[in-house]
Amino acid sequence: MSDVPNVAGRAPLVLDEDEALELLAYLVTAARTQIDEAAEYGPLRLLTAARRLGAAIAPRASASTAQFVTGPLVAAPELAVPRDGRDEYATRLDELCRALGAHLTGHFTGQPGAAP
C-alpha cells in the first residue's frame, strides 16, 4: 500500500542489483568481523547496515518511508552499545523500534501514521 505509484502493475524497485550487492557484502563481512570484535559492536553493525539501506532506498521510496529513514533512523544512536548509559541506549533503540512499527503498520494498512 505504498504511496509510490506502481509501474506496469509491479511495485517499484527501491534498490538495484549493485546497491543490493553492496549491502549484502557489508552484512556478510560485518558478520565475519563480529567474530573478532566485542559483542557490543553487533548493534552498531546492524544500525550501520540499516542506515545504508535507508540512504539507498530514500530517493525511490514512498514519502512516508523516506521520512522514516531520514528522520528516526538517522537519529538513532550510532555508537556501539556503551558501557555506561546502556539503559538509555536500549531505550532509544526501543523508541526506534516503536517508530518503525508505526511506520510499517501505516505502510501496510494504507494509513500513514497509524499506531501499531
Side-chain angles (χ1 to χ4, degrees):
M1 295 264 186
S2 170
D3 54 355
V4 173
N6 289 346
V7 178
R10 297 182 309 158
L13 296 177
V14 294
L15 288 179
D16 64 27
E17 186 174 358
D18 290 350
E19 292 164 328
L21 284 172
E22 181 181 339
L23 182 60
L24 178 70
Y26 177 83
L27 290 169
V28 170
T29 57
R32 175 56 185 95
T33 302
Q34 186 57 45
I35 291 171
D36 301 320
E37 289 181 330
E40 289 82 12
Y41 283 96
L44 169 69
R45 302 282 182 221
L46 291 170
L47 285 172
T48 298
R51 282 192 187 92
R52 286 183 179 196
L53 176 60
I57 69 172
R60 292 171 276 192
S62 66
S64 58
T65 295
Q67 182 178 17
F68 174 78
V69 299
T70 60
L73 182 58
V74 172
E78 291 188 29
L79 302 175
V81 179
R83 296 185 195 281
D84 296 324
R86 190 177 184 96
D87 290 340
E88 292 83 7
Y89 181 84
T91 297
R92 290 189 64 193
L93 289 179
D94 289 343
E95 291 167 1
L96 178 61
C97 289
R98 279 191 287 281
L100 177 58
H103 171 68
L104 292 174
T105 299
H107 179 80
F108 289 111
T109 64
Q111 302 170 354

